[in-house]
Amino acid sequence: SSTLSPMQPLQSKDSAPKKKSVPSDYPDLELYWEKVQIRPDKDHPDVPILPPFLYAGALLFSLVFEIFDGGDFFRWGAQLTLGILSMSLGAGIIAWCLVLFANEGTNIEPYLPTNALVTKGPYGYSRNPVYVGLTAIYIGLVIVFDIVWGFFFLFPLLAAVHFLVILGEEEYLEDKFGQKYRDYKSSFRRWL
């Protein structure tokens, strides 16, 4: 038996999306999309805002509050080292995920189709390592630049990522990959 994997949409010179390709063993387009349960125009998570914008927005709000009511939280020599380590860890995790996605031939952007379920590398420890990486970068920036308010905005930020991004992505992946994703979901934690 062959594994179904939807192909990426083809783009013309004027960037207008064309019909998606169908594997040769599924010549009937309607039968193919009925089998994978997702229409081509809905083949992406329903994410209202891209995660990097959520992190940047929280950092921006933190900076505004810091300007009007800032304080010195870090007064020790290891501040720069700790912040850089946190940012480096986050950037390393994200880079690892980018390489895995490229090797699997799938998209990391939530507004594009997911063509394969990635479960190895950092995905063997967390279902959302990219968001763990973005959180580590955010915390590193807060530490390096001593943005005390950044810690107060961290929990609302994580709640926004959870409700606006992760839940929609999980629903999409479950619809698309079915039991394979449900098994993965039951085996690994959402964050850490």
Side-chain angles (χ1 to χ4, degrees):
S1 69
S2 61
T3 302
L4 295 178
S5 65
M7 309 300 279
Q8 289 182 328
L10 300 174
Q11 299 290 324
S12 65
K13 291 181 182 177
D14 61 357
S15 297
K18 294 182 179 178
K19 289 185 177 180
K20 295 191 176 197
S21 300
V22 178
S24 59
D25 56 343
Y26 270 89
D28 183 350
L29 184 63
E30 289 182 20
L31 177 63
Y32 175 71
W33 288 111
E34 182 181 313
K35 186 74 175 170
V36 296
Q37 301 175 344
I38 297 178
R39 289 178 18 211
D41 59 330
K42 299 290 184 186
D43 192 8
H44 58 82
D46 190 16
V47 175
I49 185 167
L50 295 177
F53 291 120
L54 289 172
Y55 284 89
L59 199 58
L60 183 63
F61 276 112
S62 300
L63 286 170
V64 169
F65 275 78
E66 192 73 21
I67 289 169
F68 292 106
D69 187 30
D72 290 329
F73 183 73
F74 297 105
R75 295 172 185 247
W76 41 287
Q79 174 181 349
L80 184 63
T81 303
L82 182 63
I84 289 174
L85 282 174
S86 182
M87 288 187 289
S88 299
L89 175 66
I93 291 170
I94 293 170
W96 191 2
C97 292
L98 287 168
V99 169
L100 283 173
F101 273 60
N103 289 341
E104 294 291 328
T106 190
N107 301 298
I108 199 164
E109 301 90 347
Y111 54 86
L112 294 174
T114 300
N115 303 320
L117 185 62
V118 179
T119 59
K120 57 188 175 183
Y123 287 90
Y125 302 97
S126 166
R127 297 199 316 261
N128 296 287
V130 171
Y131 305 136
V132 171
L134 285 171
T135 303
I137 292 172
Y138 174 89
I139 291 171
L141 288 168
V142 165
I143 292 171
V144 165
F145 294 103
D146 198 20
I147 307 169
V148 178
W149 279 96
F151 288 107
F152 292 104
F153 280 96
L154 179 60
F155 294 105
L157 166 63
L158 296 179
V161 170
H162 174 79
F163 289 106
L164 296 176
V165 179
I166 291 175
L167 292 182
E169 289 181 339
E170 287 182 351
E171 183 179 349
Y172 164 75
L173 292 171
E174 192 164 332
D175 286 345
K176 184 155 189 173
F177 296 103
Q179 191 59 45
K180 184 178 179 182
Y181 179 72
R182 285 190 288 274
D183 291 343
Y184 171 70
K185 187 177 174 182
S186 65
S187 301
F188 298 96
R189 294 182 181 179
R190 184 174 276 138
W191 287 91
L192 291 174

